[in-house]
Short mmCIF file of all heavy atoms in Angstrom, two decimals:
data_model
loop_
_atom_site.label_atom_id
_atom_site.label_comp_id
_atom_site.label_asym_id
_atom_site.label_seq_id
_atom_site.Cartn_x
_atom_site.Cartn_y
_atom_site.Cartn_z
N MET D 1 -50.41 162.51 44.08
CA MET D 1 -49.69 163.74 44.34
C MET D 1 -50.59 164.75 45.08
O MET D 1 -50.19 165.38 46.04
CB MET D 1 -49.15 164.33 43.06
CG MET D 1 -48.43 165.68 43.24
SD MET D 1 -47.69 166.24 41.70
CE MET D 1 -47.16 167.87 42.21
N CYS D 2 -51.79 164.91 44.62
CA CYS D 2 -52.72 165.84 45.26
C CYS D 2 -52.99 165.41 46.70
O CYS D 2 -53.06 166.25 47.59
CB CYS D 2 -54.02 165.93 44.47
SG CYS D 2 -53.83 166.74 42.87
N ASP D 3 -53.14 164.09 46.93
CA ASP D 3 -53.38 163.61 48.28
C ASP D 3 -52.18 163.91 49.18
O ASP D 3 -52.33 164.24 50.35
CB ASP D 3 -53.65 162.11 48.25
CG ASP D 3 -55.02 161.78 47.63
OD1 ASP D 3 -55.88 162.67 47.63
OD2 ASP D 3 -55.19 160.65 47.17
N THR D 4 -50.97 163.74 48.63
CA THR D 4 -49.75 164.03 49.41
C THR D 4 -49.70 165.49 49.76
O THR D 4 -49.36 165.86 50.89
CB THR D 4 -48.51 163.62 48.60
OG1 THR D 4 -48.57 162.24 48.27
CG2 THR D 4 -47.24 163.87 49.41
N LEU D 5 -50.02 166.36 48.82
CA LEU D 5 -50.03 167.79 49.07
C LEU D 5 -51.05 168.13 50.19
O LEU D 5 -50.78 168.95 51.06
CB LEU D 5 -50.37 168.55 47.81
CG LEU D 5 -49.25 168.70 46.78
CD1 LEU D 5 -49.77 169.26 45.47
CD2 LEU D 5 -48.11 169.57 47.32
N SER D 6 -52.20 167.53 50.11
CA SER D 6 -53.24 167.78 51.12
C SER D 6 -52.79 167.33 52.48
O SER D 6 -52.99 168.04 53.48
CB SER D 6 -54.54 167.08 50.72
OG SER D 6 -55.06 167.56 49.49
N LEU D 7 -52.18 166.14 52.55
CA LEU D 7 -51.68 165.64 53.83
C LEU D 7 -50.55 166.53 54.37
O LEU D 7 -50.46 166.78 55.57
CB LEU D 7 -51.17 164.20 53.68
CG LEU D 7 -52.20 163.07 53.74
CD1 LEU D 7 -51.51 161.75 53.57
CD2 LEU D 7 -52.97 163.10 55.07
N ARG D 8 -49.69 166.97 53.50
CA ARG D 8 -48.60 167.84 53.93
C ARG D 8 -49.15 169.10 54.60
O ARG D 8 -48.71 169.50 55.67
CB ARG D 8 -47.71 168.25 52.72
CG ARG D 8 -46.57 169.17 53.13
CD ARG D 8 -45.69 169.53 51.91
NE ARG D 8 -46.33 170.44 51.01
CZ ARG D 8 -46.34 171.77 51.14
NH1 ARG D 8 -45.75 172.32 52.19
NH2 ARG D 8 -46.94 172.55 50.24
N LEU D 16 -41.39 168.93 52.19
CA LEU D 16 -41.46 167.47 52.19
C LEU D 16 -40.78 166.95 50.93
O LEU D 16 -41.07 167.41 49.82
CB LEU D 16 -42.94 167.02 52.18
CG LEU D 16 -43.24 165.52 52.18
CD1 LEU D 16 -42.81 164.89 53.50
CD2 LEU D 16 -44.69 165.28 51.90
N TRP D 28 -39.60 157.36 41.15
CA TRP D 28 -40.20 158.68 41.27
C TRP D 28 -39.58 159.40 42.43
O TRP D 28 -39.29 158.79 43.47
CB TRP D 28 -41.69 158.52 41.49
CG TRP D 28 -42.46 159.79 41.82
CD1 TRP D 28 -42.84 160.77 40.95
CD2 TRP D 28 -42.92 160.21 43.09
NE1 TRP D 28 -43.52 161.78 41.61
CE2 TRP D 28 -43.60 161.44 42.93
CE3 TRP D 28 -42.85 159.64 44.37
CZ2 TRP D 28 -44.19 162.12 43.99
CZ3 TRP D 28 -43.44 160.33 45.44
CH2 TRP D 28 -44.08 161.56 45.24
N THR D 30 -39.46 163.67 44.23
CA THR D 30 -39.86 165.08 44.09
C THR D 30 -39.76 165.76 45.43
O THR D 30 -39.46 165.16 46.46
CB THR D 30 -41.30 165.17 43.54
OG1 THR D 30 -41.53 166.53 43.13
CG2 THR D 30 -42.32 164.79 44.59
N GLY D 31 -40.01 167.08 45.41
CA GLY D 31 -40.07 167.87 46.63
C GLY D 31 -41.30 168.74 46.62
O GLY D 31 -41.81 169.13 45.56
N PHE D 32 -41.77 169.05 47.80
CA PHE D 32 -42.93 169.91 47.99
C PHE D 32 -42.60 170.98 49.01
O PHE D 32 -41.95 170.73 50.01
CB PHE D 32 -44.16 169.14 48.50
CG PHE D 32 -44.54 167.93 47.69
CD1 PHE D 32 -44.07 166.67 48.04
CD2 PHE D 32 -45.37 168.04 46.58
CE1 PHE D 32 -44.43 165.55 47.29
CE2 PHE D 32 -45.71 166.95 45.84
CZ PHE D 32 -45.25 165.68 46.22
N LEU D 333 -51.70 156.02 52.72
CA LEU D 333 -51.90 156.53 51.36
C LEU D 333 -51.07 155.75 50.36
O LEU D 333 -51.56 155.32 49.30
CB LEU D 333 -51.56 158.01 51.31
CG LEU D 333 -51.67 158.72 49.96
CD1 LEU D 333 -53.13 158.75 49.48
CD2 LEU D 333 -51.11 160.12 50.04
N HIS D 337 -52.55 152.94 47.51
CA HIS D 337 -52.42 153.25 46.09
C HIS D 337 -51.46 152.29 45.36
O HIS D 337 -51.68 152.00 44.17
CB HIS D 337 -51.93 154.68 45.91
CG HIS D 337 -53.02 155.71 46.01
ND1 HIS D 337 -53.61 156.03 47.21
CD2 HIS D 337 -53.63 156.47 45.08
CE1 HIS D 337 -54.50 156.97 47.03
NE2 HIS D 337 -54.57 157.24 45.74
N PHE D 338 -50.41 151.85 46.05
CA PHE D 338 -49.34 151.13 45.36
C PHE D 338 -49.22 149.67 45.75
O PHE D 338 -48.51 148.91 45.08
CB PHE D 338 -48.01 151.82 45.59
CG PHE D 338 -47.90 153.17 44.94
CD1 PHE D 338 -48.20 154.31 45.66
CD2 PHE D 338 -47.54 153.29 43.62
CE1 PHE D 338 -48.11 155.57 45.08
CE2 PHE D 338 -47.44 154.53 43.02
CZ PHE D 338 -47.74 155.67 43.75
#
Side-chain angles (χ1 to χ4, degrees):
M1 178 175 172
C2 291
D3 290 337
T4 302
L5 284 170
S6 298
L7 277 179
R8 179 179 74 84
L16 180 69
W28 173 77
T30 193
F32 306 95
L333 178 66
H337 279 73
F338 292 96

